[in-house]
Amino acid sequence: MSANINDWKKEAEKQMKGKSVSSLEQMTPENIPVKPLYTQEDLENIEHVNTMPGLPSFTRGPYPTMYTVRPWTIRQYAGFSTAKESNEFYRKNLAAGQMGLSVAFDLATHRGYDSDNPRVAGDVGKAGVAIDSVEDMKILFDHIPLDKMSVSMTMNGAVLPILASYIVAAEEQGVKQGLLTGTIQNDILKEFLTRNTYIYPPMPSMRIVSDIIAYCSKNIPKYNTVSISGYHMMEAGANSVQQAAFTIADGIEYIRAAIKAGLDIDDFGPRLSFFFGIGMNFFMNIAMLRAARQIWYEETMKFNPKDMKSCMLRTHCQTSGWSLTEQDPYNNIIRTTIECMAAVLGGTQSLHTNSFDEAIGLPTQFSSRIARNTQIVVQEETGICKVIDPLGGSYYVESLTNSIIVEARKLLKEIESMGGMAKAIESGMPKKLIEEAAARTQARIEQQKDIIVGVNKYKLAKEEEIQVLEVPDTVRLEQIEALKKLRASRDNNLVKKTLENITKAAQSDANLLETVIHAVKARATVGEISDAMEKVFGRYNAKTELIAGVYSSEYNAAKNDDFKRARERTFEFAEKHGRRPRILIAKIGQDGHDRGSKIVATAFADLGFDVDLTPMFVTPEEAAKMAAENDAHAIGASSLAAGHKYIVPTLVSTLKILGCPEIMVFIGGVIPHQDYEQLYKDGAVGVFGPGTNIIESANQILDAIE
C-alpha cells in the first residue's frame, strides 16, 4: 500500500509541477485536516467500520434495513397566517405525497403571547400559524385524522399550552391520547443557546420538559416527547463538530432531568428523537450524522439501559435556511437538493427541504411544491433506497466520521467538567464558540475564501424579482376578533379557576401538562396559560454581549485594504465630530434568530464603531428610546420574520416624537426587493438584504451620518 501511495505522490507532484502534495491539505472550520487522498490505511483502528446497520453502535444507521424497507418520512415544515389557511395547505400537500406534518407556529405563539398583545403587533401569523386557543388547533387539523397522521410540532417556550391544545383537539376529534404519534420539540436548552424563543428561566423550563416526558410516557407512549435540536445551532453559526457535541450534551441533560424526576431511562429513552441541520459541506454533514449516532450510543450506555432503543439515535433533518441566498435565488433549489442528499446518505429518518425563496420571504405554494418534490425525486428516482448505507466503508467518509467523533468528545469532556450542558450554557461557553464560528464564516465569505455562487462570485448583473408570499395585517385582526368571541362565549369563572390551578401547580410538584390540559378544555388561551405560570417562574431576559476581535482576526485586518480603509474612516469621523460613530443594533419583535445582528455588531465594533445592542424582543418604541438615550447616530434594525413594514415606519415616527429625527434608520434581514422602495418612503436610509458585505454596509452608513 505504501509503495502505491509513494507512486501516486510522484505522479501527482509531476502534475503539480513539483509542488508538494501536502499543499493540497486543508483545515476545515471544525479544525479537521482534510487530505487530498484517503486509502485503506486511514481506516486502521477505527472501530465503527466493522459495525452493521441497526446494531450497536448504530453508526451505520438505526435500523437493519434502512430505506430498502421503509424510506425516510417526507415532511414539510409549514404554517402561516391563520389555522384555516394552514389546514388547506397541509391537506393539499398530503394529497400530493407528503407523509407527515411538521407545524410551524408564529413567533407570538412561541413566546406565549395572544395575538391581541401589543408586543406582537408585527409578528402575528408572519413566520408560522397563529394559535391562540384549542379552537385554532381544531381548525388546524380539521379533516386530518390524528389517529393516523404523525404530527411534528416545533414548540419549546409555550410547549405546555400547545401540546395540551393538540391533545384536546384530538380528543374532541374522537382520538384517544394513546393513539397519537409524532414529536413535540420540547428542547428548551437549545433556546437558551441559540434560538431564543424561551419564556421562563432555565430551571423551571427544565421542570416543564421533565413533566412532559413523565405525562407522555404514561399516557401517550407512541409520542416522541423531546426532539433534541442542533438545527438552530447550525443556523446560528455552529460548525458540524459543535452541532454534534452540543446537541448530544443537551440530550444527556434531558436524560438526567427525567431520571431525577423518578423515571428510568427505558421509560422515555426510546421516545427521544433528534433534529439536525444539514448545510452545504456535503461529506462533513454525512459524517456528522454517523458520528452523532455513535456518540449518543456511547453516552446513553453510561445510564445502563436494558432496551437498546434507548441508545438509538433517530433523527429528523432540515436543509439549511442560512445557506439560502437572496441573490440568484434559483440556485437555492440546487443547494437544497445537495443538502437533501447529504441528509439521506447520512441516514436521516425524516426530512424537511426548504423552499428556494425563504431568503426573500415566506414560501409560496409554488416554491413549497418544488421543495417537496425534491425529496420525492431523490426517493423515487435515484436508486438510493435500494442499498443500505451506500457510503459505508468509504475511506473518506469513515475517516471524517472518526475525526468528528474525536473532536466532539473533546467538547463533551469540557462540558462535563463544567457540570453539564445547563451549567455550560449559564457560563456562556457554547454560545461564545458558536458566535465566534459565525463571525469567522462571515469574514471568510467576504474575502472569497468561502465561495457562495451569486453572492461573492458569478454575480448576476441584474437580479430577477421573485414573487413572495405576504401575510396581511388582517390576519392579526381576525385572530383578535376570534379571541373576543371566545372570551365572550366561554365560562370565564371556570377559566379563572383552571388558571389559578396552574399557578398552584407551578408552586408545587404537580404535573404541569396534566393541569394545563384542564385549562385548555375550559378554553383558556395560550397567553393566559403562559401568564399563569409566569406569576411563579418569571419571564427570562438574556444578557446580550459582544464578542471582540474575531471578525478582524479572520480578515487579517492589518493587511486587508478594504478593512483598513473602513476603520480609518471611523477614526476620521471621530476626529471630525469629537466621538466615534455610534450605532444601536436592535433585535425588534419576537424573532430569536440573532446570528445576523450579532455578526454585524461584532464586525462594526472591530471596524471602530461604538456599538450598543438592545435586549432581545424589544418593540420599535423601546429601540427608538434606547437610541435617543444613548445619543446614537443610527439604528440598525434586524428583521427576519416579515415584520419590516411595521418596524421601519414605527421607528421613524417614534424618533420624531422623541425629538430625534436626525437618528437614521437602517434595516437588514430577509426583506423582498419589491419592498425596498416602500421602506425608503417610510424613512429607512439603507436596506441590507442577506449576503450584504458588512464593510460595504459600514461605508454606506458612514456616508449617511457624516
Side-chain angles (χ1 to χ4, degrees), residues 149-288:
M149 183 57 58
S150 172
V151 176
S152 173
M153 295 188 289
T154 300
M155 178 54 64
N156 301 290
V159 64
L160 285 170
I162 290 301
L163 180 55
S165 294
Y166 168 68
I167 292 168
V168 174
E171 287 182 340
E172 295 186 6
Q173 196 184 85
V175 178
K176 294 179 180 178
Q177 293 184 24
L179 297 176
L180 296 174
T181 60
T183 303
I184 187 78
Q185 191 165 88
N186 195 27
D187 176 9
I188 200 63
L189 289 176
K190 169 262 298 181
E191 299 298 331
F192 295 112
L193 183 57
T194 54
R195 180 65 178 90
N196 300 312
T197 50
Y198 41 69
I199 300 176
Y200 314 111
M203 290 311 294
S205 296
M206 285 297 289
R207 182 245 173 118
I208 289 169
V209 172
S210 58
D211 276 7
I212 288 171
I213 292 172
Y215 181 90
C216 292
S217 296
K218 180 180 177 182
N219 299 286
I220 318 177
K222 296 179 182 179
Y223 202 72
N224 298 321
T225 50
V226 181
S227 176
I228 305 152
S229 175
Y231 179 82
H232 293 102
M233 299 179 198
M234 177 199 70
E235 292 292 89
N239 61 45
S240 293
V241 166
Q242 291 169 344
Q243 186 182 177
F246 295 154
T247 306
I248 297 296
D250 280 354
I252 295 167
E253 198 78 2
Y254 293 132
I255 289 176
R256 288 174 176 155
I259 290 173
K260 187 177 179 182
L263 296 172
D264 183 270
I265 186 171
D266 291 330
D267 293 336
F268 62 90
R271 304 316 306 168
L272 296 177
S273 67
F274 285 79
F275 175 24
F276 283 96
I278 305 297
M280 280 297 289
N281 192 328
F282 185 72
F283 291 105
M284 186 69 76
N285 282 273
I286 294 168
M288 176 188 68

Side-chain angles (χ1 to χ4, degrees), residues 79-86 105-109 114-117 120-132 136 362 469-484 642:
F80 52 87
S81 184
T82 63
K84 184 176 182 292
E85 286 191 63
S86 293
F105 298 96
D106 77 348
L107 294 163
T109 304
D114 288 334
S115 297
D116 57 357
N117 191 302
V120 298
D123 294 303
V124 176
K126 294 293 176 66
V129 60
I131 298 291
D132 290 317
D136 290 328
L362 299 173
L469 176 71
E470 184 168 351
V471 176
D473 194 51
T474 53
V475 170
R476 183 174 66 93
L477 301 177
E478 286 175 26
Q479 290 296 120
I480 291 172
E481 187 61 31
L483 279 167
K484 288 178 181 176

Side-chain angles (χ1 to χ4, degrees), residues 43-100:
L43 304 189
E44 291 178 5
N45 303 316
I46 297 179
E47 294 178 9
H48 73 256
V49 172
N50 298 315
T51 62
M52 297 297 287
L55 298 177
S57 60
F58 305 108
T59 315
R60 298 189 63 187
Y63 303 122
T65 55
M66 291 300 288
Y67 307 144
T68 60
V69 171
R70 184 184 176 187
W72 69 93
T73 301
I74 296 171
R75 294 186 182 275
Q76 283 304 101
Y77 178 56
F80 52 87
S81 184
T82 63
K84 184 176 182 292
E85 286 191 63
S86 293
N87 174 263
E88 291 170 358
F89 181 80
Y90 294 157
R91 286 161 64 183
K92 285 180 183 177
N93 280 5
L94 291 170
Q98 185 175 312
M99 299 176 327

Side-chain angles (χ1 to χ4, degrees), residues 399-420:
S399 180
L400 199 54
T401 298
N402 188 61
S403 295
I404 293 176
I405 291 169
V406 170
E407 293 301 317
R409 281 174 180 157
K410 292 177 185 176
L411 273 179
L412 283 169
K413 186 176 180 181
E414 184 177 354
I415 290 165
E416 283 299 295
S417 71
M418 301 174 79

Side-chain angles (χ1 to χ4, degrees), residues 310-572:
S310 295
C311 308
M312 183 191 295
L313 185 149
R314 297 163 302 109
T315 190
H316 172 73
C317 288
Q318 181 174 340
T319 59
S320 170
W322 178 82
S323 70
L324 304 178
T325 65
E326 176 192 42
Q327 299 86 344
D328 204 358
Y330 289 114
N331 288 339
N332 295 333
I333 299 172
I334 304 162
R335 293 185 178 103
T336 295
T337 303
I338 291 167
E339 292 167 353
C340 169
M341 294 282 286
V344 169
L345 291 170
T348 189
Q349 279 57 71
S350 66
L351 178 61
H352 164 75
T353 34
N354 287 338
S355 300
F356 74 86
D357 51 359
E358 289 185 48
I360 304 166
L362 299 173
T364 62
Q365 291 273 4
F366 170 70
S367 65
S368 296
R369 178 170 59 85
I370 294 173
R372 183 190 64 248
N373 286 352
T374 299
Q375 291 196 59
I376 295 174
V377 169
V378 170
Q379 195 170 99
E380 301 285 351
E381 297 187 23
T382 62
I384 283 175
C385 294
K386 294 179 180 178
V387 177
I388 304 164
D389 189 22
L391 290 183
S394 159
Y395 300 145
Y396 179 36
V397 170
E398 300 290 16
S399 180
L400 199 54
T401 298
N402 188 61
S403 295
I404 293 176
I405 291 169
V406 170
E407 293 301 317
R409 281 174 180 157
K410 292 177 185 176
L411 273 179
L412 283 169
K413 186 176 180 181
E414 184 177 354
I415 290 165
E416 283 299 295
S417 71
M418 301 174 79
M421 193 57 169
K423 294 287 186 184
I425 289 172
E426 285 179 6
S427 76
M429 180 273 276
K431 193 174 185 71
K432 181 173 181 288
L433 291 179
I434 290 172
E435 289 177 357
E436 287 177 356
R440 293 187 189 283
T441 297
Q442 180 66 29
R444 287 197 305 272
I445 291 168
E446 292 181 5
Q447 298 172 88
Q448 291 193 334
K449 292 179 181 177
D450 292 353
I451 300 300
I452 300 180
V453 174
V455 175
N456 61 3
K457 198 173 184 181
Y458 311 111
K459 296 181 184 179
L460 291 178
K462 184 180 179 182
E463 294 289 343
E464 181 181 347
E465 189 171 291
I466 302 293
Q467 180 186 356
V468 296
L469 176 71
E470 184 168 351
V471 176
D473 194 51
T474 53
V475 170
R476 183 174 66 93
L477 301 177
E478 286 175 26
Q479 290 296 120
I480 291 172
E481 187 61 31
L483 279 167
K484 288 178 181 176
K485 290 179 180 177
L486 177 77
R487 291 176 179 139
S489 63
R490 68 189 184 181
D491 183 342
N492 283 300
N493 288 327
L494 177 59
V495 170
K496 182 181 178 183
K497 183 179 178 181
T498 60
L499 292 174
E500 289 171 351
N501 288 340
I502 291 173
T503 302
K504 290 175 184 175
Q507 294 168 325
S508 69
D509 59 358
N511 188 285
L512 283 166
L513 178 54
E514 186 173 349
T515 312
V516 168
I517 287 172
H518 292 299
V520 166
K521 287 180 178 177
R523 272 36 189 184
T525 67
V526 168
E528 291 166 344
I529 291 168
S530 300
D531 289 347
M533 287 181 282
E534 188 179 337
K535 290 177 181 177
V536 179
F537 299 151
R539 188 171 273 267
Y540 183 70
N541 293 305
K543 293 179 181 177
T544 54
E545 297 177 350
L546 279 176
I547 54 171
V550 176
Y551 180 83
S552 57
S553 68
E554 188 67 37
Y555 242 107
N556 198 354
K559 297 181 180 179
N560 186 280
D561 290 340
D562 291 338
F563 191 100
K564 284 195 295 182
R565 179 57 192 143
R567 191 149 61 179
E568 284 169 3
R569 288 193 67 189
T570 63
F571 295 153
E572 290 165 3

